Amino acid sequence: MSDSVRVLIVDDSASIRRLIKLGLEADPRLDVVAEAGSAREAREAVRKHNPDVMTLDVEMPQMDGLEFLRRLMKARPMPVVMVSSHTVKGSEAAVRALALGAVECIGKPRFGRAEETLSALADALCLAAKARVMGAARIQPTVPYRQGNRNWNNKIVLIGASTGGVEALEAVLTGFPTDCPPTLITQHMPAQFLVNFAARLNGICKPNVSLAQDASLVQQGQVMIAPGGEHHMELSADGTRTRLRSGEKVSGHRPSVDALFLSARPVASRAIATLLTGMGSDGAAGMAALRSEGALCIAQDKETSVIYGMPRMACELGGVDVSLPLGGIAGRILDETNRKNSEVRT
């Protein structure tokens, strides 16, 4: 068991803990080292057993799971997978958990369908154990910049993200002023998650954040997120509007970062493409294509990525001009979209 992922199960229900434990112990990749029924017991178990990853319920006595997660990420950051009836179907609780640093959210196993859920949980725990979780210190801005009164140089910002992207996107977008450059985002998420994610960002960010609609105007002060579901979000050939296109998955995803990036090739000289944390390679080929045609391409660095997959693949394909820590990305984007500091590439 020395190479197994060490798991701590945290849930106030003894029967659910037992069900999760039985399911996980059937997987040779995992080793359940402890259980806890409250935040206090969980803190003690973390200190005593030093698990690789934790499952965490939202509803617990004395302190709920989200508050415990917030405190954990400050005191002892570690990979966490939320397992709760409150973190399904893209709920607000699920989006908040991801923003606080949870790697994944999975619904609580139900008798009769437990096998399917526990299999998905086992895979999620193995992935989460590989995640780099560094807590709040990772997202502090490292480059100061001015808010407002910007002299926009007509560049368009394109951002792709996957695992860890909720927290990363919040870090970037909360650094944008009200009159930020027009920004299009593809985040790998189910459609209902994206609805609540966009609403959350709109409430905490200065720009207007919304899900993109077909033919939405691309304009300063507007951040638009691909709505997912059956559609990819693309940029029109003249760079003035979004386009929602139904179709098969691209690079294994819908919405796809590659679909967004490749659609921007006609206006590559006006594009700033950014790849944030995420597993896999979606966006890497598109970023390389954009860079070859004059776009500025930024990748989140390894040290601050929860999963250094998509940015790494973009680097390997020669698609990256600069890799930056998460805290420095907003400042660099704002510098590059300010006419006083840069000129549009030709």
Side-chain angles (χ1 to χ4, degrees):
M1 300 291 289
S2 59
D3 294 330
S4 300
V5 173
R6 294 164 52 81
V7 181
L8 166 62
I9 300 171
V10 183
D11 195 295
D12 67 334
S13 167
S15 61
I16 291 296
R17 293 199 304 271
R18 188 178 305 113
L19 178 62
I20 293 174
K21 182 177 180 180
L22 287 172
L24 298 185
E25 285 185 333
D27 192 312
R29 300 173 296 174
L30 303 172
D31 178 19
V32 177
V33 296
E35 302 174 35
S38 68
R40 181 177 179 179
E41 291 178 5
R43 285 194 298 268
E44 293 173 355
V46 169
R47 286 194 293 266
K48 181 177 180 180
H49 298 281
N50 192 31
D52 299 315
V53 64
M54 176 193 301
T55 74
L56 179 61
D57 189 15
V58 171
E59 284 191 333
M60 294 195 301
Q62 288 85 52
M63 182 187 299
D64 68 43
L66 293 177
E67 176 60 19
F68 176 62
L69 177 64
R70 185 187 70 80
R71 297 187 184 192
L72 179 72
M73 289 305 172
K74 286 187 175 181
R76 202 278 197 189
M78 64 175 292
V80 173
V81 174
M82 303 300 294
V83 182
S84 172
S85 58
H86 292 272
T87 54
V88 296
K89 297 182 180 178
S91 67
E92 291 183 16
V95 174
R96 185 181 171 201
L98 293 170
L100 288 170
V103 178
E104 182 62 276
C105 295
I106 290 180
K108 190 166 288 190
R110 298 179 181 179
F111 292 98
R113 297 190 59 184
E115 184 175 352
E116 178 183 351
T117 302
L118 290 169
S119 176
L121 175 58
D123 290 340
L125 290 169
C126 290
L127 172 63
K130 301 175 184 178
R132 182 188 296 266
V133 180
M134 297 170 62
R138 183 179 68 248
I139 66 173
Q140 296 303 311
T142 58
V143 180
Y145 46 86
R146 295 180 180 178
Q147 294 283 359
N149 299 319
R150 299 190 52 75
N151 190 6
W152 177 45
N153 62 7
N154 208 36
K155 288 191 177 182
I156 301 168
V157 179
L158 311 172
I159 302 177
S162 188
T163 308
V166 169
E167 188 182 12
L169 284 166
E170 285 197 9
V172 173
L173 295 180
T174 53
F176 277 15
T178 304
D179 57 350
C180 72
T183 302
L184 305 183
I185 296 171
T186 292
Q187 161 73 44
H188 294 161
M189 266 187 175
Q192 186 56 42
F193 272 82
L194 290 164
V195 171
N196 284 309
F197 183 41
R200 174 181 171 82
L201 288 174
N202 193 51
I204 64 175
C205 300
K206 289 183 171 62
N208 181 43
V209 183
S210 64
L211 292 183
Q213 298 180 2
D214 192 42
S216 294
L217 188 64
V218 175
Q219 57 187 337
Q220 191 174 11
Q222 182 72 42
V223 176
M224 289 182 284
I225 301 174
E230 299 298 318
H231 297 92
H232 298 287
M233 178 176 67
E234 298 179 340
L235 184 66
S236 63
D238 61 1
T240 63
R241 294 187 180 274
T242 59
R243 180 175 60 201
L244 299 187
R245 178 177 62 82
S246 60
E248 299 299 318
K249 293 181 178 180
V250 176
S251 302
H253 297 277
R254 188 177 57 228
S256 165
V257 182
D258 269 330
L260 172 61
F261 284 1
L262 290 171
S263 72
R265 292 178 69 178
V267 291
S269 63
R270 293 175 51 204
I272 297 178
T274 302
L275 264 182
L276 302 178
T277 174
M279 184 179 181
S281 61
D282 186 28
M287 178 173 271
L290 281 177
R291 184 171 185 244
S292 70
E293 297 187 24
L296 174 66
C297 296
I298 301 170
Q300 185 176 349
D301 67 5
K302 180 179 180 180
E303 289 71 23
T304 64
S305 292
V306 172
I307 299 289
Y308 188 60
M310 290 156 51
R312 176 181 63 83
M313 289 301 299
C315 288
E316 291 181 0
L317 290 179
V320 177
D321 289 297
V322 59
S323 292
L324 294 173
L326 181 58
I329 290 175
R332 180 59 181 270
I333 289 173
L334 295 178
D335 283 344
E336 294 290 342
T337 55
N338 189 335
R339 190 181 300 277
K340 293 180 180 179
N341 297 332
S342 63
E343 296 295 333
V344 178
R345 295 185 180 191
T346 58

